[in-house]
Amino acid sequence: MAEQPPKTTFRRVLLKISGEALMGNGQFGLNPPTVERIAREVKSVHDMGVEVCMVIGGGNIFRGLQGSAQGMERTTADYMGMLATVMNALAVQSALEALGVHTRVVSAIPMDQVCEPYIRRRAVRHLEKKRVVIFAAGTGNPYFTTDTAATLRASEMACEAIFMGKKVDGIYDKDPVLYPDAKRYDRITYDDVLAQHLKVMDASAIALARDNKLPLIVFSLDEPGGFRGIMAGEGTYTRVVS
């Protein structure tokens, strides 16, 4: 008899990961075993019956702010960063479909040869049909980060929470890598995140999530089975609420 997946109270969620999460131990680009591991994490939650959508950053390929800081015109640099997110989305799509998970890449910048344009009702329908939807190209506008794109898409898709995969297992009052006495928060408000200048998401994304009363769950993506475990009410994480 096949093992039954654990039950979860979540029906639809958005997973936000950075482009750097796809690098593995490399300095840039994609690490195929790491991409496959993340795809397995997503599949394990999808197999629980949860509707999953994703936003992936592009910092492993190109980061608009860094390009701008080096003299490139900001709008051009941001568009290049958006294209990097499309490349990452296609890589994760390939890994998911190799595992038998039906997936759609939906881009805020139309590029019909490789992915679908963003149409909200169509994206919702994909989720209802149990397809994993990967939102690419940010919001389609310069000066907005993929954090803001994640909050925007989660709100539009009526997600019940944003899950943010990090290198550490939650939000700390200071960098736990540098300070062994760093304190991890089990629960914190968006206002406290802003007031304490905790580097979780950019201020625009935090304000949008707060105003839409959208919970944010920060957890370690490096912990095997962590995403699935939190879905089942286990594991270590920080929950950010309005």
Side-chain angles (χ1 to χ4, degrees), residues 13 15 41-42 45 52 163 219 223 225-231:
V13 300
L15 174 64
E41 292 282 332
V42 174
V45 170
V52 181
F163 281 73
F219 70 105
E223 181 70 26
F227 189 22
R228 177 187 172 99
I230 293 170
M231 284 288 177

Side-chain angles (χ1 to χ4, degrees), residues 58-101:
N60 57 319
I61 300 172
F62 188 87
R63 186 178 292 277
L65 268 176
Q66 290 180 354
S68 177
Q70 294 172 11
M72 185 177 293
E73 195 270 325
R74 174 65 188 270
T75 301
T76 299
D78 279 354
Y79 279 123
M80 291 174 68
M82 291 179 215
L83 295 177
T85 71
V86 177
M87 296 171 68
N88 285 339
L90 292 173
V92 173
Q93 178 186 42
S94 178
L96 281 167
E97 296 201 332
L99 298 173
V101 179

Side-chain angles (χ1 to χ4, degrees), residues 7-240:
K7 293 183 179 180
T8 178
T9 58
F10 291 101
R11 182 182 61 88
R12 179 181 295 170
V13 300
L14 184 140
L15 174 64
K16 166 65 170 69
I17 62 176
S18 66
E20 288 88 346
L22 305 180
M23 295 191 307
N25 294 323
Q27 298 298 313
F28 61 89
L30 294 159
N31 178 258
T34 300
V35 175
E36 182 184 355
R37 178 182 63 78
I38 292 173
R40 290 189 181 280
E41 292 282 332
V42 174
K43 181 181 185 300
S44 70
V45 170
H46 182 263
D47 288 346
M48 296 170 73
V50 179
E51 296 172 5
V52 181
C53 50
M54 300 178 67
V55 169
I56 307 169
N60 57 319
I61 300 172
F62 188 87
R63 186 178 292 277
L65 268 176
Q66 290 180 354
S68 177
Q70 294 172 11
M72 185 177 293
E73 195 270 325
R74 174 65 188 270
T75 301
T76 299
D78 279 354
Y79 279 123
M80 291 174 68
M82 291 179 215
L83 295 177
T85 71
V86 177
M87 296 171 68
N88 285 339
L90 292 173
V92 173
Q93 178 186 42
S94 178
L96 281 167
E97 296 201 332
L99 298 173
V101 179
H102 295 295
T103 312
R104 294 291 187 274
V105 173
V106 177
S107 172
I109 299 175
M111 46 186 81
D112 296 344
Q113 297 284 12
V114 294
C115 53
E116 295 184 6
Y118 175 68
I119 300 172
R120 188 186 68 83
R121 288 181 179 272
R122 182 184 292 176
V124 169
R125 186 60 179 149
H126 286 322
L127 290 171
E128 292 172 347
K129 290 184 176 181
K130 307 304 179 185
R131 297 165 181 156
V132 171
V133 178
I134 306 174
F135 295 110
T139 66
N141 301 289
Y143 296 94
F144 289 95
T145 67
T146 51
D147 285 347
T148 302
T151 309
L152 175 63
R153 296 295 182 238
S155 300
E156 290 177 310
M157 295 298 107
C159 291
E160 295 162 349
I162 300 173
F163 281 73
M164 177 166 281
K166 294 277 193 178
K167 292 287 186 182
V168 293
D169 58 355
I171 300 172
Y172 287 77
D173 59 351
K174 48 191 171 183
D175 191 339
V177 176
L178 300 177
Y179 302 96
D181 62 338
K183 172 190 172 185
R184 185 181 61 79
Y185 298 101
D186 289 326
R187 188 181 181 92
I188 191 170
T189 67
Y190 282 113
D191 286 337
D192 286 339
V193 168
L194 288 171
Q196 297 178 39
H197 301 285
L198 300 175
K199 296 180 180 179
V200 184
M201 305 171 95
D202 66 80
S204 297
I206 290 171
L208 183 59
R210 179 194 60 194
D211 293 347
N212 286 281
K213 295 180 170 55
L214 187 62
L216 171 67
I217 295 172
V218 182
F219 70 105
S220 173
L221 195 64
D222 290 342
E223 181 70 26
F227 189 22
R228 177 187 172 99
I230 293 170
M231 284 288 177
E234 304 166 357
T236 304
Y237 56 90
T238 297
R239 186 182 185 95
V240 189

